[in-house]
Amino acid sequence: MDNAIELQPGFIHATLVPILYLVSAVTFIYGIKGLTRVRTARRGNMWGAIAMLLAVVATLIDMGVVDYRWILIGLAVGSAIGAFAAFKVAMTEMPEMVALFNGAGGGASMLVAISFLWLHVIEEPSSVGHTVAFALQTDSAVSTVFGILIGAVTLSGSVVAYLKLQGKISGQPILLPGRHVVNLLLFFGSLGVGAWFVFFTTDHFSIGVAALVVTVLATILGIMLVIPIGGADMPVVISLLNSYSGLAASATGFVLNNNVLIISGALVGASGLILTHIMCVAMNRTLANVLFGGFGMVEQTASGPASDYGTVRSYSAEEAAMVLEAAQSVVFVPGYGLAVAQAQHVVRELADLLESRGATVAYGIHPVAGRMPGHMNVLLAEADVPYEQLLEMDDVNPRFKETDVVIIVGANDVVNPAAEKEPGSPIAGMPVLKVWEAHTTMVIKRSLSPGFAGIKNELFEYDNNIMIFGDAKEVLQGLVSELKQAAAA
Ligand code: NAP
């Protein structure tokens, strides 16, 4: 091989590969640490990509594939797919993309576990007459079952989550009668069949059939677990599936005896679980509520159907600008509509203008505003909004009482008072931004349509609220030009 690098096999397996894996694992951890802060998130992402590259190169070297052309071809193909996805997918479609990536991770782990079983047991003549536990050693055999089980659950669950988010199937919870019993049967059934084929079967046909049965049962379980979840609980499920994909990768790491896969899988599994916990707290749900409760379901609430409004006050940009001229303190509350309208740069322009007139400006960031964790932070960072002006919910809520105007840009559920005031509401108990405590609230959105949770928002009828109907970017541009004209007059 002309393009191959000549290395001594002993040195490669005993020294080079373990060192590369160790460096890769440490780089993954460093990358994840970077992701914990907005300021260092981009760098963290880059370190994660470098760690992945190191892991891939080490694996190719370990397998004896050291022809650098494969590494270059892999780099080019992977980068092209990644770059295409990053440019093509709109920011608002990120959760769907994350769901697909999770599914791909779970599916890959499942396929690796199945092919390992195939190569080392079903097609291996020396394993005839032995149990899988004997042929593969017990830990590897058990990990193979878990790799198939968790991988299949992650794959089918993520596909259902993707279809729900895309609107191809109803985003509302679908509650099948007796689902808990069915799920328990599926779970213990797949574990039981897995245990049977690992410890008791010795003929290859039964092993193959049993592996297929585990795959099918786990696939149905994945669908059954995600189908009853909907509405505002979807982000929690996406992050939980993310954690599952890490656990599946970790199980595959045990199957392949690959340390970096065990470590990186465990990192994804643990960070996914931590994010799931943070999101459950942000939405005042326990994980059990999310998984078994069908809580995202839209019910008829005390405040009536989502389209039924009494009197709402609607202002033009000119009238609203007059209110803003007198404001000494302004808080912007961005939501999903800001992302749709791509209005982050105009928000910044309006904020600068208000500051130049002597007003204090801050941004109230709800943890689940938008359609993915950190959505608003990413958008506002794009417009170079100073980090210190971004206030988390617990910090901004006490400030609303002293705020003159809160400008709510394309947010709806995260400022809905029903969460606090209506025990029967689907979002009851979800911590929200208490914007109504401010002197005046201005809601910028195109209509009185509901947000993600599909429910009415009584804030729109409050006496201290003003609706400014229109696309967020156009309305904000209107406010900017009105304020500029007022300053010039
Ligand atoms: P929201 O409740 O979904 O409301 C967004 C509002 O934006 C809509 O009512 C819509 O009203 C308005 N809008 C859309 N396009 C607009 C445009 N071009 N200009 C102006 N307004 C526009 O959003 P949110 O308050 O940010 O709450 C997020 C919701 O999504 C929560 O229920 C959360 O649980 C859920 N969720 C969050 C995540 C996450 O991880 N962050 C993931 C999935 C789901 P009009 O149509 O009338 O304009």
Side-chain angles (χ1 to χ4, degrees):
M1 279 203 298
D2 288 347
N3 299 293
I5 302 160
E6 291 291 332
L7 289 170
Q8 294 298 319
F11 171 74
I12 292 175
H13 292 290
T15 315
L16 182 63
V17 170
I19 288 180
L20 278 177
Y21 277 159
L22 187 66
V23 175
S24 162
V26 172
T27 314
F28 270 129
I29 295 170
Y30 186 66
I32 288 204
K33 187 168 183 307
L35 290 178
T36 56
R37 294 175 62 84
V38 179
R39 208 182 281 276
T40 52
R42 281 185 194 181
R43 220 178 314 143
N45 210 5
M46 194 190 69
W47 282 115
I50 292 173
M52 196 66 217
L53 177 66
L54 279 177
V56 171
V57 171
T59 305
L60 291 177
I61 292 176
D62 195 25
M63 289 165 60
V65 188
V66 285
D67 186 337
Y68 59 81
R69 281 178 307 183
W70 289 113
I71 298 178
L72 290 180
I73 290 172
L75 259 182
V77 173
S79 307
I81 295 173
F84 176 76
F87 282 118
K88 167 112 196 342
V89 175
M91 195 64 139
T92 46
E93 288 168 1
M94 275 301 165
E96 283 97 312
M97 190 160 119
V98 173
L100 275 189
F101 282 171
N102 291 342
S109 302
M110 177 190 82
L111 289 177
V112 169
I114 290 175
S115 56
F116 189 83
L117 188 74
W118 189 270
L119 280 179
H120 295 278
V121 180
I122 296 177
E123 279 209 326
E124 176 57 54
S126 67
S127 72
V128 174
H130 295 298
T131 62
V132 179
F134 183 85
L136 294 182
Q137 297 192 332
T138 309
D139 55 348
S140 197
V142 171
S143 306
T144 306
V145 173
F146 278 110
I148 298 176
L149 208 160
I150 308 174
V153 167
T154 311
L155 174 63
S156 60
S158 301
V159 170
V160 174
Y162 168 79
L163 293 174
K164 278 186 171 239
L165 288 171
Q166 277 267 306
K168 300 226 162 80
I169 54 177
S170 167
Q172 297 304 319
I174 300 168
L175 301 180
L176 304 172
R179 63 190 190 284
H180 298 317
V181 177
V182 175
N183 288 351
L184 280 178
L185 286 177
L186 285 167
F187 179 66
F188 286 111
S190 48
L191 272 189
V193 177
W196 174 66
F197 92 76
V198 163
F199 295 109
F200 300 107
T201 41
T202 51
D203 80 286
H204 288 175
F205 179 74
S206 308
I207 291 172
V209 171
L212 185 70
V213 172
V214 172
T215 313
V216 172
L217 291 182
T219 304
I220 301 173
L221 178 62
I223 298 172
M224 290 289 293
L225 283 177
V226 179
I227 279 275
I229 301 167
D233 289 338
M234 279 315 280
V236 185
V237 179
I238 300 283
S239 123
L240 191 65
L241 287 166
N242 186 244
S243 169
Y244 286 175
S245 74
L247 294 181
S250 225
T252 312
F254 281 106
V255 174
L256 299 178
N257 212 358
N258 182 313
N259 288 340
V260 82
L261 200 52
I262 297 174
I263 295 174
S264 53
L267 283 176
V268 174
S271 47
L273 267 188
I274 294 170
L275 182 60
T276 305
H277 172 73
I278 292 173
M279 298 192 74
C280 279
V281 172
M283 301 169 88
N284 196 31
R285 301 267 179 269
T286 62
L287 191 55
N289 278 165
V290 173
L291 294 181
F292 309 120
F295 261 75
M297 185 164 47
V298 176
E299 289 157 10
Q300 185 67 38
T301 64
S303 52
S307 55
D308 196 1
Y309 281 92
T311 311
V312 295
R313 259 195 308 166
S314 159
Y315 272 28
S316 66
E318 188 185 356
E319 291 165 316
M322 284 165 69
V323 178
L324 282 179
E325 274 177 53
Q328 286 305 304
S329 52
V330 177
V331 174
F332 287 92
V333 171
Y336 173 65
L338 176 90
V340 178
Q342 285 295 296
Q344 59 273 30
H345 295 284
V346 207
V347 166
R348 171 76 204 268
E349 199 183 343
L350 179 59
D352 287 348
L353 204 56
L354 291 167
E355 278 184 318
S356 71
R357 300 176 63 92
T360 58
V361 170
Y363 298 78
I365 309 294
H366 191 283
V368 293
R371 289 293 180 271
M372 60 176 184
H375 201 167
M376 297 300 118
N377 300 69
V378 175
L379 284 176
L380 295 174
E382 223 177 86
D384 286 327
V385 168
Y387 295 123
E388 48 282 1
Q389 288 187 347
L390 305 187
L391 302 180
E392 289 183 11
M393 186 163 51
D394 291 342
D395 297 324
V396 76
N397 266 344
R399 288 175 60 147
F400 284 128
K401 281 197 181 83
E402 280 94 51
T403 302
D404 291 333
V405 180
V406 179
I407 307 180
I408 299 149
V409 188
N412 194 342
D413 296 342
V414 299
V415 294
N416 193 335
E420 289 214 333
K421 302 186 178 181
E422 276 178 39
S425 164
I427 60 164
M430 168 174 152
V432 285
L433 295 165
K434 301 178 189 189
V435 292
W436 57 89
E437 291 183 351
H439 194 262
T440 305
T441 51
M442 292 183 179
V443 175
I444 303 176
K445 68 200 290 289
R446 297 164 306 179
S447 63
L448 288 172
S449 305
F452 188 84
I455 51 171
K456 177 177 176 177
N457 190 340
E458 279 190 11
L459 173 75
F460 304 163
E461 295 171 336
Y462 280 15
D463 287 343
N464 62 340
N465 182 59
I466 294 164
M467 301 297 300
I468 316 174
F469 289 113
D471 173 75
K473 193 171 178 178
E474 286 167 16
V475 169
L476 288 165
Q477 278 165 342
L479 289 175
V480 167
S481 82
E482 290 295 339
L483 280 180
K484 280 185 178 163
Q485 277 177 33

